[in-house]
């Protein structure tokens, strides 16, 4: 009996030692869903490039790119745990953390966190030349597309038109359409103008400018002055689009990459680090990425940094 007990004890010890010495199991594959915008905007090509950077440089990661209605939807999907990183306009982020019901956030989104401020969006209001629209007042009585309902672009449209003393009721018709659809309707003479909040050189307006004669509608400096942060006076440089011979005064709003406090710290650290270490890949996807600067990416944010992103900036000497 003693011998059997001794043998059993030795066997148990050997098994315990074997378990202790065995290699640790591989960690479960991590998933990154990159939330972007419409395929004709700037968010989408940058999101595709970002997803490839992550799949190429973060071991054990599987990525997906999701086309969405952009800012507001992206924030809501992140809140629901259905995305790990998303593009959003700074004013939409501010509205989310404050709980702005008119912007689609009946309560503050307390889990929202920042990864980086990236590049500015420019308000670009373009009208067919035959519409005769040359300024904001000229939009009254005309058919205008203001972007997808409750999108970041549509929130921008409400704010800017409101500051100019114009309501949707003053328009002849209000369409809530993505960029590419708006452009097609202008080409087909079913729409007079489109307001698009996007990076310079956005594909939809490039397409329109090369197809039909257009007017760019200026947003005078008193409008951003009335609105205040995060709206800033800016201009669309001459030559950005075909036939655009003069700079156009307008408004710029900072775009951000956001995530949730629930996303793993190490994963967010890697997402932040790999983006900045592979910026040329994003610039190759769209020129708007030329404005992404790690020196300013963690400054003047309307929402707290995620600890993973904060760790990157501190290691890089940027905080």
């Amino acid at each position: 009996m003693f011998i059997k007990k001794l043998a059993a004890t030795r066997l148990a010890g050997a098994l315990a030692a074997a378990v202790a010495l065995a290699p640790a199991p591989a960690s479960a594959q991590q998933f990154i869903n990159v939330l972007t915008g419409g395929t004709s905007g700037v968010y989408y090509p940058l999101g595709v490039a970002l997803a490839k950077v992550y799949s190429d440089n973060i071991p054990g990661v599987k990525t997906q790119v999701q086309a969405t209605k952009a800012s507001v939807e992206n924030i809501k999907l992140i809140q629901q745990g259905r995305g790990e990183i998303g593009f959003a306009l700074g004013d939409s982020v501010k509205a989310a953390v404050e709980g702005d019901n008119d912007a689609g956030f009946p309560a503050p989104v307390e889990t929202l966190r920042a990864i980086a401020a990236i590049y500015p969006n420019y308000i670009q209001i373009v009208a067919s030349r035959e519409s005769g629209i040359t300024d904001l007042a000229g939009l009254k009585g005309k058919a205008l597309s203001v972007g997808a309902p409750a999108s970041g672009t549509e929130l921008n449209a409400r704010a800017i038109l409101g500051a100019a003393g114009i309501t949707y009721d003053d328009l002849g018709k209000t369409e809530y359409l993505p960029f590419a659809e708006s452009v097609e309707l202008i080409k087909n003479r079913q729409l007079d103008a489109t307001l698009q909040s996007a990076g310079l050189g956005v594909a939809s307006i490039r397409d329109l400018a090369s197809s039909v004669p257009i007017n760019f509608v200026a947003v005078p400096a008193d409008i951003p002055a009335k609105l205040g942060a995060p709206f800033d006076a800016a201009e669309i440089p001459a030559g950005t689009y075909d036939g655009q011979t003069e700079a156009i005064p307008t408004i710029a709003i900072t775009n951000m990459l956001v995530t949730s406090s629930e996303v793993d710290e190490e994963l967010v650290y890697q997402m932040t680090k790999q983006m900045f270490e592979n910026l040329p890949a994003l610039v190759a996807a769209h020129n708007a990425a030329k404005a992404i600067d790690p020196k300013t990416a963690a400054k003047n944010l309307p929402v707290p940094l995620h600890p993973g992103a904060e760790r990157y900036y501190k290691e890089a000497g940027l905080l």
Side-chain angles (χ1 to χ4, degrees), residues 5-277:
K5 284 186 177 179
L6 181 60
T9 302
R10 285 177 176 172
L11 177 60
L15 288 172
V19 169
L21 294 172
S27 59
Q29 186 176 57
Q30 289 183 295
F31 190 74
I32 300 174
N33 188 22
V34 183
L35 304 168
T36 60
T39 55
S40 61
V42 177
Y43 286 175
Y44 187 79
L46 288 183
V48 170
L50 201 55
K52 187 173 189 312
V53 165
Y54 292 159
S55 62
D56 288 349
N57 295 282
I58 305 177
V61 156
K62 182 178 180 182
T63 61
Q64 173 182 303
V65 179
Q66 184 174 342
T68 68
K69 294 177 183 177
S71 300
V72 175
E73 183 178 8
N74 291 349
I75 292 168
K76 290 181 176 180
L77 289 170
I78 283 172
Q79 183 183 24
Q80 296 161 12
R82 295 166 61 192
E84 284 63 46
I85 184 170
F87 291 78
L89 275 166
D91 61 325
S92 296
V93 174
K94 185 172 183 285
V97 297
E98 291 177 351
D100 184 340
N101 192 51
D102 290 339
F105 303 104
V109 182
E110 295 178 353
T111 56
L112 193 63
R113 296 291 181 269
I115 290 178
I118 42 177
Y119 66 91
N121 255 23
Y122 291 77
I123 300 301
Q124 300 170 72
I125 308 175
V126 185
S128 64
R129 192 160 295 167
E130 70 177 15
S131 72
I133 299 168
T134 57
D135 57 18
L136 289 174
L139 293 169
K140 292 181 178 180
K142 302 293 186 178
L144 171 69
S145 177
V146 294
S151 64
T153 293
E154 202 256 314
L155 295 180
N156 291 167
R158 284 190 224 173
I160 290 159
L161 293 177
I166 301 170
T167 70
Y168 287 173
D169 290 340
D170 294 322
L171 303 174
K173 187 177 184 182
T174 307
E175 294 280 8
Y176 299 88
L177 298 170
F179 295 173
E181 290 179 41
S182 302
V183 164
E184 289 306 313
L185 288 185
I186 292 176
K187 288 182 189 178
N188 296 330
R189 297 180 173 180
Q190 296 173 280
L191 185 68
D192 295 310
T194 175
L195 182 151
Q196 303 195 0
S197 179
L200 293 175
V202 63
S204 52
I205 296 180
R206 285 207 318 268
D207 175 26
L208 184 62
S210 64
S211 303
V212 297
I214 58 173
N215 292 333
F216 285 85
V217 178
V219 181
D222 64 311
I223 300 295
K226 283 181 188 176
L227 292 171
F231 299 91
D232 292 311
E235 62 178 33
I236 304 168
T240 300
Y241 299 100
D242 287 352
Q244 182 210 341
T245 57
E246 297 180 357
I248 311 297
T250 192
I251 289 175
I253 308 143
T254 299
N255 283 291
M256 296 176 61
L257 286 170
V258 293
T259 187
S260 168
S261 59
E262 303 298 314
V263 178
D264 179 71
E265 180 180 329
E266 178 62 24
L267 183 61
V268 175
Y269 168 78
Q270 288 295 336
M271 288 195 294
T272 311
K273 175 183 171 71
Q274 296 305 330
M275 177 183 72
F276 286 118
E277 291 187 354

